[in-house]
Amino acid sequence: METAQHLAALERDGQLLADAAERGGLDAPVPPCQPWRVKDLLRHVRYIHWWAGTHVRQARDRIIDGPPEAELLGGGPPDAELLKAYRDGHRALVATLRSADPAVSCATFLPAPSPLAFWARRQAHETAIHRADAELAAGPVTPFDPEFAADGVDELVMGFAPRRKPAARPQADRTLQLSATDTAHGWHIAIGSGRLQAHRGHDTADTVVSGPAAGLYLLLWNRQDPRSAGISVRGDTGALALWADLVQVRWT
């Protein structure tokens, strides 16, 4: 996907997140992020939007160290002003990224064609997954575009996952094949002692996980179970369980 497409998704999903938060109310529980409530989600995403935008706006050459999650959730504006503050911060991030020099040089933490492409993609998927969180607190999830969802799976599998090192030694190496039935994308993952390796494409595996890209997106980000996401799991379910345990992207 191109940077302009990521920015369009960031704008859309950020607005949907705010709308869902308004529908559900600040005290509604966020099922995938227990014990968070919607107000905690808003505080978290509001900070992330400021944090991401600052790297680009100030051309930071190092990743900014953020506060501990407890401090982040305890700060910011009062509840009565929180939704407006989130909307303002989201608009500011979109404006920063849209107006940035395409050749801007700043710190990143995953491979990308350019720093601007990295931050646009990362914030599009950060916001999209948390948009799903807000919607799950208020009702059903608005469908994701299949190509965007496949791009999000790719970022997670090829970017975040290889950075995770299994802390506990698996009883045996496990392999996992992911297949997006509506976009034809595929990813193969090998989880072993102290390593997690992934490549694009289709290969034999202990576990085959297939279904629509949007379902894989929510499943792999631990937002829905296979049944809720419309996903088929064949073979050894242990590999999928191991993935869920190992690949949990947290702020701290």
Side-chain angles (χ1 to χ4, degrees), residues 31-100:
C33 304
Q34 296 180 8
W36 278 12
R37 297 186 179 274
V38 166
K39 60 186 175 184
D40 301 313
L41 180 68
L42 287 175
R43 291 184 193 282
H44 172 85
V45 183
R46 174 180 173 270
Y47 179 83
I48 295 295
H49 284 171
W50 172 86
W51 175 82
T54 300
H55 287 90
V56 176
R57 189 169 53 253
Q58 298 181 2
R60 294 290 189 102
D61 61 359
R62 294 184 181 180
I63 295 296
I64 300 167
D65 288 332
E69 190 73 69
E71 181 181 329
L72 193 160
L73 299 182
D79 289 357
E81 301 171 15
L82 184 55
L83 189 57
K84 181 180 184 302
Y86 163 79
R87 289 186 188 274
D88 290 346
H90 168 248
R91 282 194 293 267
L93 173 63
V94 173
T96 292
L97 296 179
R98 281 201 167 130
S99 63

Side-chain angles (χ1 to χ4, degrees), residues 1 8 19 31 47 55 81 114 129 132 138 148 152 171 173 196 204 245 248:
M1 291 181 65
D19 293 345
Y47 179 83
H55 287 90
E81 301 171 15
S114 71
I129 288 297
F148 176 78
Q171 293 181 348
D173 290 355
L196 195 158
T204 57
D245 289 339
Q248 297 184 28

Side-chain angles (χ1 to χ4, degrees), residues 7-17 90 131 145 148:
L7 292 179
L10 169 61
E11 183 171 34
R12 179 185 64 248
D13 285 319
Q15 293 170 352
L16 288 173
L17 191 160
H90 168 248
R131 180 265 279 181
D145 172 76
F148 176 78

Side-chain angles (χ1 to χ4, degrees), residues 138-212:
V141 175
T142 303
F144 287 104
D145 172 76
E147 291 295 333
F148 176 78
D151 182 73
V153 173
D154 190 80
E155 185 204 41
L156 181 58
V157 171
M158 302 302 299
F160 278 109
R163 302 170 79 212
R164 296 298 188 265
K165 302 301 181 185
R169 182 181 293 272
Q171 293 181 348
D173 290 355
R174 306 287 183 90
T175 53
L176 184 63
Q177 173 64 43
L178 309 172
S179 298
T181 54
D182 50 352
T183 67
H185 290 87
W187 301 265
H188 187 269
I189 304 165
I191 305 171
S193 301
R195 66 179 178 84
L196 195 158
Q197 298 177 326
H199 65 261
R200 298 182 182 97
H202 301 267
D203 208 338
T204 57
D206 301 317
T207 307
V208 177
V209 181
S210 59

